[in-house]
């Protein structure tokens, strides 16, 4: 898998940590296998945007935070959860639900950075 080769090459060549941000694979359980392969390749941490790619709409449906929790349980490196965050309460709920080491906020901040 090319992404695993890229992470391996970077993590063994650079003096800085290498991370990867993922979306859910079409076959959702493959996401967790990919996470473990990226960890073995040298990724220092992973971010998971727990939605499938949709050609019709970018943010179709809620993120499946259970998948973040599953990834967190399967790897030893830090996992950052991405998705379903619009307020501070969403950040707290996301961390409680997933056990993630951090929460990433994207487009919501562009519309309302305060």
């Amino acid at each position: 898998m090319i992404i695993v080769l890229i992470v391996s090459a970077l993590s063994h060549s650079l003096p800085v940590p290498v991370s990867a941000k993922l979306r859910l694979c079409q076959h959702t359980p493959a996401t967790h296998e990919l996470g473990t392969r990226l960890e073995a390749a040298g990724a220092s941490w992973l971010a998971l945007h727990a939605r499938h790619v949709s050609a019709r709409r970018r943010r179709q449906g809620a993120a499946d935070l259970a998948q973040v929790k599953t990834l967190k349980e399967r790897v030893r490196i830090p996992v950052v959860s991405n998705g379903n965050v619009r307020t501070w309460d969403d950040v707290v709920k996301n961390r409680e639900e997933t056990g993630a080491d951090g929460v990433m906020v994207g487009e919501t901040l562009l519309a309302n950075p305060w």
Side-chain angles (χ1 to χ4, degrees):
M1 191 174 279
I2 194 158
I3 188 66
V4 174
L5 295 173
I6 291 169
V7 167
S8 179
L10 291 172
S11 69
H12 292 96
S13 301
L14 298 174
V16 297
V18 174
S19 63
K21 181 181 178 190
L22 317 170
R23 279 191 177 259
L24 292 177
C25 297
Q26 258 332 92
H27 179 65
T28 304
T31 307
H32 311 118
E33 179 184 338
L34 176 58
T36 59
R37 290 178 70 186
L38 289 168
E39 177 183 35
S44 297
W45 58 276
L46 300 171
L48 177 58
H49 186 125
R51 286 189 181 96
H52 292 99
V53 174
S54 170
R56 290 173 282 147
R57 284 184 39 199
R58 289 182 60 210
R59 288 172 281 164
Q60 186 173 7
D64 184 354
L65 298 181
Q67 300 306 321
V68 177
K69 181 177 181 176
T70 301
L71 179 63
K72 176 64 184 159
E73 291 168 347
R74 297 213 178 156
V75 298
R76 295 178 309 273
I77 58 177
V79 172
V80 175
S81 179
N82 183 216
N84 298 354
V85 176
R86 289 172 178 63
T87 67
W88 178 253
D89 289 340
D90 293 339
V91 171
V92 173
K93 182 180 176 188
N94 190 308
R95 294 225 32 227
E96 289 172 353
E97 191 173 327
T98 65
D101 300 286
V103 176
M104 182 180 286
V105 182
E107 292 183 13
T108 297
L109 284 178
L110 294 175
N112 183 13
W114 317 114

